[in-house]
Amino acid sequence: MDKNEYLPVRISTLKEGILLGFDLYIELPHRLLMFVRGDFDIETERLSSLKSKKVRKLYIKEDDEEKYQQYIDRCLEVVANDPDVSLGEKTKVVMGASEATAERLYDNPEKKASYQAATNTSINLAKVLRSNGDLLKSIFDHGDTSEFKDKDSLMHRHSVNTATLCISFGEFLGLSPEEIEALGIAGLYHDVAYGKSAPDIQKLYFKSVNEMSLDEQKVYKQHPEIGRSFLNEKNFVNPLVLELIFSHEEKNQGNGFPSGLKSLSTLQEIISISAYYDRSLTCLGKTRAQVFEEFSTEQLGNYQLESIKKFKSFIKKSGL
Ligand SMILES: [Fe+2]
Ligand SMILES: [Fe+2]
């Protein structure tokens, strides 16, 4: 059997007791072997035995991609609505599934299946955040970022956090479900250029622009355009998502990049503010209080006063 026809799925996205709907395979030294048949669920003992053997991934047939997405929906639905599942457990499941999506689109940004997974994740995040008022805070409290050994995982986390903020802030402002969905997808994709960049360019994502040399700034400032280029001219992509990926680093005074826009739409402000806020926390290691303060100091004028006011009351209300 040809391994190219199979897709890896993270063990952390699988939940016991929920009908799979697709066959699961395990990787042996020279081949893939059927592990659980699709008309069964995965049992607790089998799941724990994989975890104890440090198996991180199983495989599904590429054609079963959609069934896997439906399975993730079912898992999230069950977890989100179960009063017996603790907030910590809910957060783990939601973050596990969302970070797996982020990893997929960083690895294969141009693929339709990645875009579909991002759409699914955006819709699911909106749904679980709406029905669990304290989830947003729990996501931001979840796991100290210093525990991350590799920078790639940190970027996947940044991608999910930005999407989460975009969605919740969009909800707070009363945007339409279509706008919120597009914000969530763009939030997941906004820094996708990172995935295909050389290691010395990847390092720049963890450095403040003020501390970069002029050459470094020049390279770093290309990332919104490179990110958009993976999805350009694909008929399955919402044009609003493309625009938001392209403008996520823009500010209101012409001091953003790549276009130096002088006036941002509401949606452009939402993604720019959300990406800025989480980059400061997750990639630059600042505290929430520091970033909050920056909106009244160095970021003053970069966004409309009214938007900053609303973002601050949203942050306070969410307990961030
Ligand atoms: Fe960015
Ligand atoms: Fe970012």
Side-chain angles (χ1 to χ4, degrees), residues 155 158 190-192 205 220 223-224 245 248-249 257 275 279:
M155 283 307 285
H158 169 54
H190 78 282
D191 280 337
V192 76
Y205 287 77
Y220 180 70
H223 81 264
I245 296 172
H248 78 266
E249 299 279 2
F257 58 88
R279 168 166 146 85

